[in-house]
Amino acid sequence: QVLLDGNWLLAGPRGANVEVALNKGLQVALARECGFNVPESAVVHTRSEAKAFADAQGFPIIFKSAHCVPIRDGRRQGSPVWICANEQEFDRTMTQWDARVPLLAQRYIVGTGEGVFGLGAIDGVRGWSAHRRLRMMNPQGSGSSACVSQAVPPDLGASVSALIERTQWRGLFMIELLRDQAGKVWFVELNGRPWGSMALARRQGLEYPAWHVSLAVDERSAAGKTTTSVPGLVCRHLGRELLHPLFVLRGPRSTALGHWPSFWKSMFAVMTIRPRDGIYNWRPSDPSVFLADLCYTLHKNLFKARA
């Protein structure tokens, strides 16, 4: 929304793609049109609209902000993700929400998080890669604490290309997905910004941020054209890994999460370190970035947990 003078070059989304980047309701509509599997969804503004969706779809349901950066009265609004398994949990969610921001209501699906990454350019998508989450910091839903690179699922390539072409997206993107227990892949959202697992991409030689800038400077740049991803590499976020067993021990906040991880299995997984495992933000020549991020992650989440 800021007007830039001639001394600035905008590398982020522009024009109609600003709304695509920020509006999750628009994202799911576009994804459905481009061939993705999309859970039944609706944008709700009032309790009555949320109740109508719950009555039509049944439980469990997930509610999250319909906007990536929810704004009300000129101020950014915090909005957690709520999962409701029954009427009691629904009532509690409605009280906490208090209609502060529009919510995206969806049928809740249990599965494993995946992601497809790339660069939108004038000749289509380049710099393809993908990953699968091994663990989330909070099993109920959060950023991953450990993920592994994988090949881009062939059945998703056409849908991803269709979405990028439809929107004429330029620069880096991440499409977040969920693979359910039957193996079906569902669209979650489009992230048009650098993502949390960038360390895994860079470990494969996929320099998405630098490529993004190159394309912003020159749309005919060859950035990202000739590189390939490396499946099977693991990257771990130490702060989130340390917090993961604590979230497991705390337990789920909704009865919809029936498959909760075992505490001792989680501890074993976190404590098992393989020689090729990478660590987010670790660079021997500059440990301050790693230490600052570790302290920030622990302080933020432990403080929030006490609150």
Side-chain angles (χ1 to χ4, degrees):
Q1 295 177 348
V2 176
L3 297 178
L4 303 176
D5 60 32
N7 295 322
W8 290 88
L9 177 64
L10 177 64
R14 64 189 73 188
N17 280 340
V18 173
E19 187 68 10
V20 174
L22 296 176
N23 188 328
K24 295 181 182 180
L26 177 59
Q27 289 180 13
V28 297
L30 288 169
R32 186 176 284 111
E33 293 173 5
C34 292
F36 286 96
N37 300 310
V38 180
E40 291 298 325
S41 308
V43 176
V44 299
H45 301 82
T46 64
R47 180 188 179 108
S48 60
E49 291 177 353
K51 184 66 166 63
F53 181 85
D55 289 342
Q57 298 300 322
F59 294 107
I61 297 171
I62 184 170
F63 292 100
K64 55 189 174 182
S65 172
H67 297 99
C68 295
V69 186
I71 303 293
R72 183 179 180 182
D73 298 330
R75 300 179 67 88
R76 187 182 187 279
Q77 299 292 307
S79 182
V81 174
W82 291 284
I83 300 170
C84 303
N86 50 49
E87 291 283 354
Q88 182 180 2
E89 293 181 7
F90 176 84
D91 290 339
R92 183 169 65 243
T93 293
M94 292 297 100
T95 300
Q96 294 173 358
W97 169 44
D98 194 28
R100 292 193 309 274
V101 297
L103 293 181
L104 179 65
Q106 292 184 310
R107 181 168 59 86
Y108 178 67
I109 297 171
V110 176
T112 300
E114 298 186 4
V116 172
F117 315 88
L119 290 165
I122 57 175
D123 57 351
V125 178
R126 60 177 72 164
W128 291 88
S129 69
H131 82 192
R132 172 174 53 86
R133 289 180 169 184
L134 297 175
R135 284 179 296 281
M136 290 188 290
M137 178 181 69
N138 180 356
Q140 183 153 327
S142 72
S144 62
S145 65
C147 51
V148 59
S149 59
Q150 64 180 16
V152 177
D155 55 330
L156 290 175
S159 296
V160 172
S161 293
L163 180 58
I164 299 305
E165 182 179 349
R166 171 75 177 272
T167 58
Q168 297 187 3
W169 188 270
R170 294 293 180 265
L172 56 78
F173 67 85
M174 171 202 181
I175 294 182
E176 188 174 343
L177 306 159
L178 188 71
R179 186 177 296 274
D180 68 19
Q181 295 169 326
K184 188 173 182 177
V185 180
W186 299 87
F187 177 89
V188 177
E189 63 185 24
L190 165 70
N191 286 312
R193 53 172 173 74
W195 44 89
S197 60
M198 188 64 73
L200 178 59
R202 296 195 65 242
R203 191 171 177 222
Q204 300 172 72
L206 305 172
E207 299 289 353
Y208 288 116
W211 295 343
H212 181 84
V213 172
S214 295
L215 286 172
V217 173
D218 178 9
E219 67 175 6
R220 299 190 179 279
S221 166
K225 264 193 170 184
T226 59
T227 56
T228 57
S229 61
V230 182
L233 295 180
V234 173
C235 256
R236 307 170 66 179
H237 188 290
L238 182 58
R240 292 177 178 176
E241 287 279 74
L242 293 174
L243 290 165
H244 173 73
L246 299 181
F247 278 104
V248 171
L249 188 63
R250 188 182 72 173
R253 289 296 183 259
S254 170
T255 56
L257 292 103
H259 300 281
W260 196 252
S262 157
F263 172 75
W264 292 111
K265 288 183 178 179
S266 296
M267 282 292 295
F268 178 79
V270 167
M271 297 300 293
T272 302
I273 302 174
R274 297 173 179 82
R276 295 189 66 200
D277 287 359
I279 301 295
Y280 284 32
N281 300 316
W282 172 249
R283 187 168 58 180
S285 62
D286 188 10
S288 61
V289 175
F290 167 78
L291 293 172
D293 179 67
L294 173 63
C295 293
Y296 170 80
T297 300
L298 294 175
H299 178 269
K300 175 185 175 182
N301 287 278
L302 291 173
F303 180 81
K304 183 169 64 175
R306 287 199 305 269

